[in-house]
Amino acid sequence: GQQLNQSPQSMFIQEGEDVSMNCTSSSIFNTWLWYKQDPGEGPVLLIALYKAGELTSNGRLTAQFGITRKDSFLNISASIPSDVGIYFCAGRYSGAGSYQLTFGKGTKLSVIP
Amino acid sequence: SQTIHQWPATLVQPVGSPLSLECTVEGTSNPNLYWYRQAAGRGLQLLFYSVGIGQISSEVPQNLSASRPQDRQFILSSKKLLLSDSGFYLCAWSGHGGRETQYFGPGTRLLVL
């Protein structure tokens, strides 16, 4: 089946620093999504990507859909304490009848004030 | 706008007892619905998904079951809970179109003792 490798597993950074995390897949995806999950809550969608090479921003967040369609990157600029949480990537292969997302295992971000 | 609810928010149940978790969606019709389990705050495991009333697909064999008695209602059940059923259960919905972003509910924390 499809597998997603998300790295790093965790990060400790100083407030104000930039953050970068990525996901790689063993298969080609047609959609990449990035979610953030705060403790005890459901994941919230941050950015959705639908085309290879697409670069999309949402405030201080920027994500890119890799040209090979097997990877995606999320960058956070000038981190602040509320960026703390777990970030998940998810990909979807648009095969016939496929509704499922494959999720990475998450990157746990800690921001030191 | 669409809203997804989960009930209850937290549940403590003894081993061997039954389970019923409810998920309801507002503001959309004929959504795809999903149940995920998340253990130890990381990694989402898809348990069931439904593309319509009465249509349930199971992703992993287990002692859990799902039902969709109404268009916007998705229920996760068990006749006899196991210790290993403890975790954070997330419901999600998506549309049927090609860009099937999934939106998550707030989750139910289940502790089986």
Side-chain angles (χ1 to χ4, degrees):
Chain A
Q2 297 152 9
Q3 295 183 357
L4 274 187
N5 292 314
Q6 185 170 352
S7 65
Q9 285 189 336
S10 62
M11 302 179 74
F12 287 83
I13 61 166
Q14 204 76 34
E15 183 177 356
E17 288 183 350
D18 296 343
V19 173
S20 185
M21 58 191 79
N22 70 83
C23 276
T24 58
S25 168
S26 57
S27 305
I28 290 174
F29 284 128
N30 288 1
T31 301
W32 281 99
L33 306 171
W34 285 92
Y35 291 86
K36 182 195 176 199
Q37 186 178 27
D38 291 329
E41 299 183 13
V44 174
L45 182 69
L46 298 174
I47 293 179
L49 303 161
Y50 301 108
K51 280 193 220 177
E54 181 180 353
L55 185 72
T56 298
S57 293
N58 178 5
R60 293 177 297 106
L61 278 61
T62 302
Q64 183 161 28
F65 192 140
I67 291 290
T68 65
R69 294 167 62 193
K70 289 186 176 182
D71 57 5
S72 180
F73 304 86
L74 175 70
N75 296 318
I76 305 173
S77 62
S79 59
I80 59 178
S82 61
D83 290 333
V84 165
I86 301 179
Y87 292 79
F88 291 99
C89 63
R92 191 177 77 90
Y93 169 67
S94 298
S98 172
Y99 299 97
Q100 300 170 39
L101 291 176
T102 301
F103 281 84
K105 293 190 176 178
T107 295
K108 186 173 182 179
L109 178 64
S110 300
V111 179
I112 304 166
Chain B
S1 64
Q2 299 85 11
T3 309
I4 180 167
H5 303 279
Q6 286 187 243
W7 184 89
T10 307
L11 189 61
V12 181
Q13 291 284 92
V15 168
S17 63
L19 173 74
S20 181
L21 303 182
E22 185 170 339
C23 171
T24 57
V25 181
E26 295 177 357
T28 186
S29 59
N30 194 30
N32 288 340
L33 295 172
Y34 310 82
W35 277 113
Y36 289 87
R37 176 167 56 205
Q38 185 177 35
R42 306 288 294 267
L44 284 79
Q45 178 187 32
L46 180 64
L47 301 175
F48 301 95
Y49 70 94
S50 171
V51 301
I53 295 174
Q55 300 178 63
I56 308 294
S57 296
S58 174
E59 288 301 300
V60 292
Q62 59 212 314
N63 69 319
L64 298 171
S65 62
S67 62
R68 185 168 176 174
Q70 300 181 46
D71 180 44
R72 288 170 288 179
Q73 184 185 31
F74 205 22
I75 296 173
L76 183 69
S77 304
S78 174
K79 292 182 180 176
K80 283 187 179 181
L81 282 168
L82 306 172
L83 286 174
S84 58
D85 291 324
S86 294
F88 193 47
Y89 288 83
L90 289 157
C91 181
W93 76 271
S94 74
H96 285 269
R99 298 188 169 190
E100 293 161 10
T101 302
Q102 291 183 19
Y103 299 94
F104 287 85
T108 294
R109 173 81 55 197
L110 172 65
L111 180 60
V112 182
L113 300 175

